[in-house]
Amino acid sequence: MEQWNDRTAVVTGASTGIGAAIAVDLVKAGMVVVGLARREENIEALKKQIPEKLRVNLHAMKCDVSQEEDIIRVFELIDAKFNGIDVLINNAGVAHSKINLIDHDNSAKIRQVIDTNVFGLVFCTREAYKSMEKHGRNSHVVHINSISGHKIAFNPAVAPSNLYRPSKFAVTAITEIHRQEFIRSKHHIKVTSVSPGLVKTEMTRNSYDTSKLPYLVPEDISQSVLHVLGTPPHVQIHELTIKSFGEPW
């Protein structure tokens, strides 16, 4: 991780769960981190988990990644204030349990999933690329995907996830498109999809009884992101799948 010392990372959905763990661990690893979330006060609270001398390197900014105008405004501010963006972690995601695609009056929640998980990821990457292109440094984009983005298995014991799984399938395809576009751009920008299995977070507690299933914790995913970022310039991990031992899917 020495190559990223004092360089700037943006983490979306950084207020809780996987995003919070990634933000904390990137600061501990020597990066300047800008955490984005609708609840920026939760990001400020994360400083308690960071050694006091490093707390100055965690910055919270309010941003709803389902809103394109919000993304454009915040990324322009970050580029100007922190001399560019070197790492982007697209972690923000939404999943509504107990909602079927055929349910009545589900439009708002269905749109929220796509606006956050797909359009938010695409627009955040587009705006980060503007900064990466301008500054010309080695950079890395990490999409926090899911094993749900690789396989759809019917399980009547699990709450339906409407467009969550299709949205993650989109992330799998988008990762490859980004890889090809970054190569054509002639800039040294890596992209990686990190696909966890069941992770114990606020989101999964609404869909699973995690007391009866093997599960990962957010720090497991964070440490995997550090591994991905720590690869030498000639190595690109395109897809990293992480499951807890004994996970049934």
Side-chain angles (χ1 to χ4, degrees):
M1 286 292 292
E2 290 81 7
Q3 62 185 311
W4 302 111
N5 281 345
D6 298 322
R7 291 174 68 179
T8 302
V10 176
V11 182
T12 71
S15 60
T16 61
I18 295 172
I22 293 172
V24 168
D25 281 348
L26 288 179
V27 171
K28 289 180 178 179
M31 296 199 74
V32 176
V33 176
V34 182
L36 306 184
R38 289 174 296 178
R39 297 174 292 179
E40 58 182 326
E41 65 278 4
N42 287 8
I43 301 173
E44 289 290 346
L46 294 176
K47 292 183 178 181
K48 297 176 183 177
Q49 303 177 32
I50 298 171
E52 189 171 356
K53 65 180 181 179
L54 296 177
R55 292 175 186 175
V56 68
N57 289 333
L58 178 61
H59 306 268
M61 288 193 182
K62 187 178 180 64
C63 181
D64 182 349
V65 300
S66 71
Q67 303 298 317
E68 183 180 1
E69 297 81 3
D70 224 15
I71 293 170
I72 293 171
R73 174 187 59 80
V74 168
F75 275 74
E76 287 180 348
L77 178 60
I78 294 170
D79 178 69
K81 185 174 181 179
F82 296 95
N83 189 34
I85 298 166
D86 301 293
V87 170
L88 170 64
I89 312 294
N90 279 310
N91 166 74
V94 172
H96 292 296
S97 63
K98 302 177 182 178
I99 299 291
N100 293 294
L101 295 179
I102 57 175
D103 287 344
H104 293 224
D105 303 320
N106 62 2
S107 301
K109 289 186 176 180
I110 291 295
R111 287 196 176 96
Q112 186 185 27
V113 171
I114 296 300
D115 286 343
T116 303
N117 298 5
V118 180
F119 292 145
L121 178 144
V122 169
F123 296 148
C124 284
T125 304
R126 181 192 67 193
E127 297 306 305
Y129 173 74
K130 289 180 183 178
S131 176
M132 294 171 180
E133 180 183 40
K134 180 170 71 173
H135 297 279
R137 301 186 289 262
N138 288 2
S139 304
H140 203 139
V141 176
V142 177
H143 300 322
I144 302 301
N145 196 348
S146 169
I147 60 169
S148 297
H150 302 273
K151 180 180 180 181
I152 295 179
F154 178 71
N155 185 343
V158 176
S161 54
N162 60 78
L163 280 183
Y164 178 77
R165 289 178 185 271
S167 75
K168 291 301 186 179
F169 265 76
V171 172
T172 299
I174 290 166
T175 301
E176 174 58 18
I177 293 169
H178 277 148
R179 188 186 72 84
Q180 294 180 23
E181 290 186 350
F182 291 156
I183 290 172
R184 290 197 297 270
S185 77
K186 304 301 183 183
H187 294 283
H188 195 282
I189 303 173
K190 299 182 186 181
V191 62
T192 301
S193 163
V194 175
S195 297
L198 180 61
V199 184
K200 193 172 185 179
T201 64
E202 282 185 10
M203 188 167 67
T204 56
R205 289 190 194 101
N206 295 327
S207 302
Y208 302 90
D209 182 356
T210 52
S211 67
K212 298 179 180 179
L213 291 168
Y215 59 85
L216 301 163
V217 295
E219 290 73 20
D220 296 324
I221 315 308
S222 178
Q223 289 301 306
S224 296
V225 169
L226 292 184
H227 169 68
V228 166
L229 293 175
T231 54
H234 71 284
V235 175
Q236 175 168 285
I237 297 175
H238 182 69
E239 171 63 42
L240 180 63
T241 303
I242 315 164
K243 293 185 179 183
S244 60
F245 181 78
E247 185 167 325
W249 301 296

